Amino acid sequence: MNHVRWQKSSFSGGGDGDTCIELAATGPHLLLRESEDPATELTTAPETFAGLLRALRAGNPPGQQP
């Protein structure tokens, strides 16, 4: 079993609460999970995740009409 090193979002405020998003890099993919439900992981490509972050920062969440 490979060890995955999870990193908490800087917006989680630190601490030990279960209300944050965690990210891990595994080869060519990124894994995302919510601390509250660590058994559920999403897998994405770095380019796709970067596009999501750009859209969110620009105030254009996916699925909303401009």
Side-chain angles (χ1 to χ4, degrees):
M1 180 177 186
N2 292 337
H3 175 72
V4 176
R5 185 175 179 162
W6 292 97
Q7 179 179 352
K8 282 187 179 184
S9 166
S10 60
F11 288 100
S12 69
D16 295 326
D18 288 337
T19 58
C20 64
I21 299 297
E22 297 176 328
L23 177 72
T26 59
H29 298 101
L30 294 176
L31 300 176
L32 295 138
R33 70 180 184 184
E34 184 178 356
S35 302
E36 199 170 75
D37 185 14
T40 302
E41 299 174 359
L42 301 175
T43 304
T44 188
E47 300 82 19
T48 303
F49 186 63
L52 173 64
L53 292 178
R54 280 191 300 274
L56 292 173
R57 287 179 182 139
N60 300 315
Q64 288 191 354
Q65 297 294 322

